[in-house]
């Protein structure tokens, strides 16, 4: 399926290394320059605000989805193509997933990891066939990658489901990988034989 809109999960903080900000700018620009719509959490703080500003400045379309209760805390971005205010976190994630053809994560904290893992588990169960990937800025996600390999070795995740998550260290490589993605067709349950 051609990717026309990309959901970006990322920190509501900027992190200590300026490389994270630079990566957020590069990813926002790359999404806009490819004519893709950026879908994200709608905040103006942290890497969220930076990726959105970069995509808007590069002439892109940006849709933010923010829960009413977080609109003040995360400063709902007032300069987007569209800001949708929803009832809560679950509605936010469902709407972001509905509007997006692919999911990528920049560095971030618990919210970023939670959003990424939820959408990955939905793909593993076959609820969607959309690609997902990590922008591995300065090796930020390499330890997570090693841990996920360990989870496969220990028999809790199929290698094909592990392989659904692409790690790349440049926006171009990551977005190219999203375009060529083929979803695996396998049951989630490791002990169950594939039909
Ligand atoms: P963080 O990575 O913790 O800085 O959070 C990044 C974004 O994820 C912020 O917009 C948070 O509001 C959001 N977030 C945190 N927890 C959740 C959750 N359970 N469901 C959806 N979004 C969340």
């Amino acid at each position: 399926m051609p990717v026309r809109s990309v959901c970006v999960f990322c920190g509501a903080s900027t992190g200590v290394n300026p490389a994270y900000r630079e990566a957020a700018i590069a990813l926002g620009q790359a999404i806009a320059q490819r004519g893709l719509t950026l879908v994200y959490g709608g905040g103006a703080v942290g890497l969220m605000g930076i990726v959105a500003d970069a995509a808007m400045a590069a002439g892109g379309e940006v849709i933010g989805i923010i829960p009413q209760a977080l609109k003040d805390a995360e400063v709902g971005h007032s300069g987007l193509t569209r800001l949708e205010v929803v009832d809560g976190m679950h509605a936010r994630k469902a709407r972001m997933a509905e509007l997006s053809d692919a999911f990528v994560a920049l560095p971030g904290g618990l919210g970023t990891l939670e959003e990424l893992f939820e959408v990955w588990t939905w793909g593993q169960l076959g609820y969607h066939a959309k690609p997902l990937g990590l922008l591995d800025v300065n090796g930020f996600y390499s330890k997570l990658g090693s841990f996920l390999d360990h989870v496969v070795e220990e028999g809790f995740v199929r290698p094909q489901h592990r392989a659904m998550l692409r790690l790349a260290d440049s926006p171009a490589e990551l977005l190219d990988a999203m375009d060529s993605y083929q979803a695996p067709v396998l049951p989630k349950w490791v002990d169950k034989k594939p039909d």
Side-chain angles (χ1 to χ4, degrees):
M1 189 174 77
V3 170
R4 286 187 299 252
S5 55
V6 178
C7 181
V8 174
F9 302 129
C10 62
S13 310
T14 50
V16 295
N17 191 329
Y20 303 137
R21 294 166 178 273
E22 287 155 21
I25 292 169
L27 180 61
Q29 286 173 343
I31 289 171
Q33 283 160 4
R34 288 178 183 228
L36 307 172
T37 298
L38 167 66
V39 178
Y40 86 112
V45 295
L47 296 186
M48 298 174 78
I50 292 172
V51 71
D53 287 342
M56 289 299 298
E61 180 179 75
V62 182
I63 303 174
I65 317 289
I66 198 159
Q68 182 64 53
L70 276 184
K71 210 169 155 231
D72 295 334
E74 291 189 348
V75 195
H77 200 303
S78 56
L80 306 177
T81 314
R82 188 165 91 233
L83 181 69
E84 294 186 17
V85 182
V86 294
D87 278 345
M89 290 297 203
H90 291 117
R92 176 197 235 180
K93 286 182 289 186
R95 185 69 178 140
M96 288 165 85
E98 185 183 9
L99 291 175
S100 306
D101 297 328
F103 306 91
V104 305
L106 280 161
L110 300 180
T112 302
L113 295 170
E114 195 273 344
E115 291 169 320
L116 172 83
F117 276 95
E118 181 172 77
V119 84
W120 192 1
T121 59
W122 290 349
Q124 181 184 239
L125 291 168
Y127 289 7
H128 68 75
K130 300 174 182 177
L132 59 151
L134 298 176
L135 193 59
D136 191 24
V137 185
N138 264 5
F140 179 81
Y141 280 119
S142 65
K143 288 180 181 145
L144 178 65
S146 307
F147 177 70
L148 291 166
D149 293 339
H150 172 69
V151 177
V152 172
E153 280 156 22
E154 293 303 308
F156 289 102
V157 173
R158 290 184 186 280
Q160 295 91 336
H161 288 143
R162 162 72 181 87
M164 290 163 76
L165 182 71
R166 220 13 223 270
L167 262 78
D169 56 18
S170 81
E173 186 190 341
L174 189 62
L175 295 174
D176 286 347
M178 300 295 96
D179 257 336
S180 58
Y181 177 78
Q182 295 264 320
V185 183
L186 277 170
K188 176 232 169 296
W189 298 270
V190 174
D191 299 331
K192 187 179 161 196
K193 297 249 178 310
D195 296 327

